[in-house]
Amino acid sequence: CKILRDNGEGHIADRIDPPARPRAMSSEHKDVIEKNEYLLQNLILDGIHAALVEHGVLTIEQMEQVKALKTDDEQNRKFLNFFSDRPDPTFTTFCQILRANSQGHIVDMIDPPE
């Protein structure tokens, strides 16, 4: 399969030996996202859209769907719906983006230090 990929035939190699899928969001993180009213009410997406896409938290298409909604509440609900279906490592990335953008108080609520 390596030879196929090296020769530009990755699509064939992927059929023979599919790449590993990223691990789904853990049930613990998914519960935090889906059941946390603080997150829903206090998340400010304005200003972090680009970072969320750049770091793979959401796709461009997903972010465009979020931004098309009128109210912050609608945008947050749509974002969290998409986000809860992303691979587990995006939870950590999301928390890092929040901390870097003055929203660390949200991280303290959804991912408190042990």
Side-chain angles (χ1 to χ4, degrees), residues 11-101:
H11 63 285
I12 296 171
D14 289 346
R15 296 193 89 186
I16 297 168
D17 182 25
R21 292 189 61 188
R23 227 177 48 199
M25 182 82 57
S26 71
S27 59
E28 177 186 345
H29 288 158
K30 200 168 201 163
D31 284 347
V32 166
I33 293 164
E34 293 174 349
K35 297 177 182 174
N36 194 306
E37 281 297 313
Y38 186 85
L39 175 60
L40 179 64
Q41 294 171 356
N42 292 282
L43 178 62
I44 300 170
L45 291 172
D46 192 37
I48 63 170
H49 297 113
L52 292 170
V53 171
E54 179 182 334
H55 294 285
V57 175
L58 289 188
T59 66
I60 292 171
E61 293 81 16
Q62 289 170 327
M63 188 53 75
E64 287 173 356
Q65 289 180 41
V66 168
K67 290 167 58 175
L69 298 170
K70 293 182 182 183
T71 68
D72 290 342
D73 184 68
E74 290 173 322
Q75 289 185 7
N76 286 352
R77 285 182 192 281
K78 187 71 162 179
F79 166 74
L80 294 173
N81 181 285
F82 283 139
F83 180 50
S84 67
D85 289 334
R86 302 296 289 160
D88 203 49
T90 59
F91 186 86
T92 301
T93 303
F94 174 62
C95 290
Q96 291 168 343
I97 291 169
L98 290 179
R99 284 206 190 279
N101 288 277

